[in-house]
């Protein structure tokens, strides 16, 4: 062996060791920071890995923990986590739940997306998303005793509303197909976002965009009133009023009064399943289905219309300081009168 050969071999060994190290590091990077080696779908193939990856911020590897579709679609829970060993790469967790809910839960339950911040979609797919939560109502054929809803919750803020809506809708489509209980399109319809990112001053006589709705005499004198929500009329709509006063943070954020309306057929059918729904009257005397103390379903030429008013924390606190503030029924009566005009539901009373 020549002296030149002896000097060359160690270099080749160093190169070989270096190449192996590069391959190992590259492999670890691919495994821990990308989804090249992960499955296409998670949670018993209910959830698209690509769509989940797209909505969670940053980059990293997706892993899932939980079962697939539960029997009868009751109690399905699965968690998808994005993580990375690289600092500042982002991440977060998505939790998907599929199960029975009260029909009006998406519109009344505080554990659901906050309506003033929500972007709704209606028509072939019924649902909504905000920056942290989203939901889709499954077809009636999927229901037994209660409506069945697909719900997502994110630990991190999601900036892509359309992508989030597509993720929830795709999961709902897969769940319905697996259960053979109806067809859900692969994509949601056009999203109806809030009119603005922050609450804005009301226009007297068109509060929340409702023709003839007033706040004069319904709030303390001299108090500025703000509104937040979607443009009316719409198949799925909500608006929250806020008082620009010295209320504490939580109370102020919760709002003063919340109005909700929908003529989405699937959601109205779900609302009618709410416990205690019975035949009764609207404030104007015509026949209505009474869903709650201030929630009704009205028959209209264009289809049934659900209307509801909920007094929020600001109202409860303000009324303690201003006992002459109207009772909650007064807000409901004025809302129903204005909403039936804006949503073209007529005003014929029962005889």
């Amino acid at each position: 062996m020549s002296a030149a050969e002896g000097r060359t071999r160690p270099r080749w060994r160093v190169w070989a060791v270096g190449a192996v190290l590069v391959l190992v590091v590259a492999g670890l990077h691919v495994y821990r920071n990308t989804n090249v080696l992960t499955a296409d779908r998670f949670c018993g193939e209910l959830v698209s890995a690509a769509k989940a990856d797209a909505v969670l911020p940053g980059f990293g590897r997706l892993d899932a923990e939980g079962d697939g579709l539960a029997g009868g679609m009751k109690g399905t829970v699965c968690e998808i986590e994005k993580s990375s060993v690289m600092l500042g790469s982002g991440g977060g967790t998505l939790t998907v739940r599929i199960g029975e809910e009260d029909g009006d839960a998406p519109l009344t339950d505080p554990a659901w997306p906050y309506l003033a911040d929500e972007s709704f979609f209606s028509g072939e797919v019924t649902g909504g998303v905000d920056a942290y939560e989203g939901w889709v109502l499954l077809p009636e054929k999927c229901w037994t005793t209660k409506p069945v809803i697909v719900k997502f919750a994110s630990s991190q803020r999601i900036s892509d509303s359309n992508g989030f809506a597509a993720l929830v809708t795709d999961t709902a489509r897969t769940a319905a197909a697996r259960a053979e209980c109806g067809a859900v399109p692969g994509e949601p319809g056009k999203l109806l976002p809030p009119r603005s990112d922050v609450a804005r001053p009301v226009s007297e006589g068109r509060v929340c965009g409702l023709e003839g709705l007033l706040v004069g005499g319904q709030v303390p004198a001299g108090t500025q009133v703000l509104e937040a929500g979607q443009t009316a009329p719409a198949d799925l709509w909500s608006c929250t009023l806020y008082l620009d006063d010295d209320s504490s943070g939580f109370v102020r954020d919760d709002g003063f009064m919340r109005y909700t309306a929908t003529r989405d057929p699937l959601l109205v059918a779900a609302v009618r399943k709410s416990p205690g729904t019975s035949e009764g009257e609207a404030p104007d005397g015509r026949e209505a289905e009474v869903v709650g103390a201030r929630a009704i379903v009205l028959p209209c030429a264009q289809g049934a219309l659900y209307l509801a008013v909920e007094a929020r924390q600001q109202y409860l606190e303000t009324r303690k300081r201003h006992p002459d503030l109207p009772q909650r029924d007064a807000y409901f009566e004025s809302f129903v009168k204005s909403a039936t005009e804006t949503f073209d539901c007529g005003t014929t009373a029962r005889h």
Side-chain angles (χ1 to χ4, degrees), residues 285-304:
R286 64 174 136 170
E287 294 179 351
E289 293 172 74
V290 178
V291 181
R294 281 161 291 278
I296 58 175
V297 175
L298 287 173
C300 309
Q302 296 81 6

Side-chain angles (χ1 to χ4, degrees), residues 128-345:
V129 295
D130 65 8
Y132 292 94
E133 297 179 288
W135 61 276
V136 162
L137 182 59
L138 289 183
E140 283 191 77
K141 290 182 180 179
C142 300
W143 310 352
T144 52
T145 57
K146 290 184 176 182
V148 179
I149 303 178
V150 176
K151 183 183 179 185
F152 272 76
S154 173
S155 65
Q156 301 295 317
R157 182 179 181 83
I158 294 176
S159 58
D160 181 5
S161 296
N162 288 293
F164 196 14
L167 168 66
V168 187
T169 300
D170 180 74
T171 304
R173 177 191 61 79
T174 305
R178 289 286 179 81
E180 298 181 345
C181 61
V184 176
E187 297 290 336
K190 183 179 179 181
L191 270 62
L192 177 66
R195 294 172 62 195
S196 60
D197 293 334
V198 296
R200 47 198 277 171
V202 302
S203 298
E204 186 69 3
R206 284 194 63 85
V207 174
C208 291
L210 299 180
E211 189 65 40
L213 188 59
L214 306 169
V215 292
Q218 293 193 332
V219 299
T223 303
Q224 185 178 29
V225 183
L226 309 175
E227 64 182 41
Q230 296 74 30
T231 300
D235 286 341
L236 183 48
W237 170 91
S238 183
C239 181
T240 302
L241 297 185
Y242 303 84
L243 302 185
D244 190 11
D245 60 11
D246 58 355
S247 301
S248 62
F250 165 75
V251 171
R252 185 186 180 98
D253 291 345
D254 195 58
F256 180 78
M257 200 68 57
R258 184 169 71 190
Y259 307 119
T260 307
T262 182
R263 58 161 47 104
D264 179 275
L266 186 60
L267 188 53
V268 170
V271 166
R272 282 172 162 155
K273 289 278 189 179
S274 299
T277 299
S278 61
E279 295 298 324
E281 287 186 354
D284 62 7
R286 64 174 136 170
E287 294 179 351
E289 293 172 74
V290 178
V291 181
R294 281 161 291 278
I296 58 175
V297 175
L298 287 173
C300 309
Q302 296 81 6
L305 175 66
Y306 169 79
L307 300 174
V309 172
E310 183 181 5
R312 310 296 291 176
Q313 290 297 322
Q314 262 192 324
Y315 171 82
L316 301 178
E317 184 179 272
T318 303
R319 200 163 190 278
K320 293 178 182 178
R321 301 195 307 265
H322 300 271
D324 58 336
L325 216 60
Q327 297 281 346
R328 282 173 274 195
D329 285 348
Y331 298 87
F332 182 54
E333 291 170 8
S334 60
F335 168 65
V336 171
K337 180 180 179 180
S338 300
T340 52
E341 294 181 12
T342 303
F343 285 81
D344 193 21
C345 190

